[in-house]
Amino acid sequence: YGVWWQNIPKEYRQHLSINGDITVELDFSSFPPRMVYHLSGAEMVGDPYVGIGDLDRKHGKALFNIMINAADEDAAYGAYREEFREEFQEERVTKAETKEAIDAVRDKHQAISKEFYTGVGLKLMNYDSQIANNVMLKAIDEYQTVILPLHDSFICITEFEKILRQLM
């Protein structure tokens, strides 16, 4: 289910138009960790997915998001292994190495570590949907324009970009 533009690869989305007008895509940078930090009353500094042990940004992002959605560390381990199954089959990453990566996420995000394995991810999805709904309705009601939601970003006509940034 969902809308068709959510399945278009990122490199093709730049070619979308709305009523013949050129579009731009704006996203909420690091939205899940930003929301967890905000809800916890803590300040997030820098890119939350970089500087997590030896992990590159792709793995750091995946593991962080797994940890805010998983019920416990074993579930996080399994989800992380599943997400990168093909990659890990070639490298034979051990459970100890995955545990080390999980500990590195917890160390980097000590200020919010109590939120891991609590189901806060579901709460964030609900907040995300409410924010997206509010942004889209305000665009329609106050500016008579449509914006297309896309995960943690929006697509709008280029002349609306500045207003959309303010709404976001």
Side-chain angles (χ1 to χ4, degrees):
Y1 76 101
V3 293
W4 62 269
W5 60 85
Q6 289 187 342
N7 297 318
I8 297 174
K10 186 176 181 87
E11 63 269 17
Y12 297 121
R13 290 196 301 256
Q14 65 183 325
H15 303 292
L16 290 175
S17 65
I18 297 175
N19 292 332
D21 292 323
I22 297 171
T23 60
V24 63
E25 182 177 344
L26 303 179
D27 74 344
F28 284 107
S29 179
S30 306
F31 195 50
R34 204 172 287 284
M35 285 179 42
V36 174
Y37 271 87
H38 176 76
L39 292 170
S40 297
E43 182 181 351
M44 186 179 86
V45 178
D47 187 329
Y49 304 129
V50 172
I52 298 175
D54 294 334
L55 299 178
D56 61 16
R57 189 177 195 284
K58 176 176 120 179
H59 286 85
K61 179 178 181 176
L63 192 51
F64 178 94
N65 287 302
I66 286 168
M67 289 170 67
I68 63 171
N69 285 294
D72 55 37
E73 192 170 299
D74 286 338
Y77 170 79
Y80 184 62
R81 297 280 305 161
E82 181 61 28
E83 172 117 1
F84 295 101
R85 179 182 41 196
E86 290 178 19
E87 185 178 318
F88 289 158
Q89 282 180 352
E90 295 171 10
E91 296 179 22
R92 298 288 182 231
V93 175
T94 66
K95 187 167 185 171
E97 290 169 318
T98 304
K99 169 89 167 92
E100 186 178 313
I102 286 171
D103 290 344
V105 171
R106 194 176 299 114
D107 290 346
K108 169 145 175 118
H109 297 288
Q110 288 178 6
I112 60 163
S113 63
K114 68 183 185 319
E115 299 297 336
F116 295 129
Y117 316 122
T118 64
V120 72
L122 287 175
K123 183 192 269 187
L124 299 180
M125 285 183 232
N126 181 276
Y127 289 155
D128 183 17
S129 69
Q130 290 176 39
I131 291 168
N133 188 58
N134 290 341
V135 168
M136 291 183 295
L137 289 177
K138 195 164 194 152
I140 292 168
D141 292 344
E142 294 184 21
Y143 301 99
Q144 292 72 51
T145 191
V146 64
I147 56 175
L148 307 177
L150 183 71
H151 310 296
D152 60 353
S153 67
F154 295 102
I155 298 171
C156 69
I157 59 174
T158 53
E159 13 181 287
F160 192 68
E161 179 178 359
K162 185 177 179 180
I163 294 169
L164 179 56
R165 280 191 196 284
Q166 291 170 348
L167 290 175
M168 290 170 65

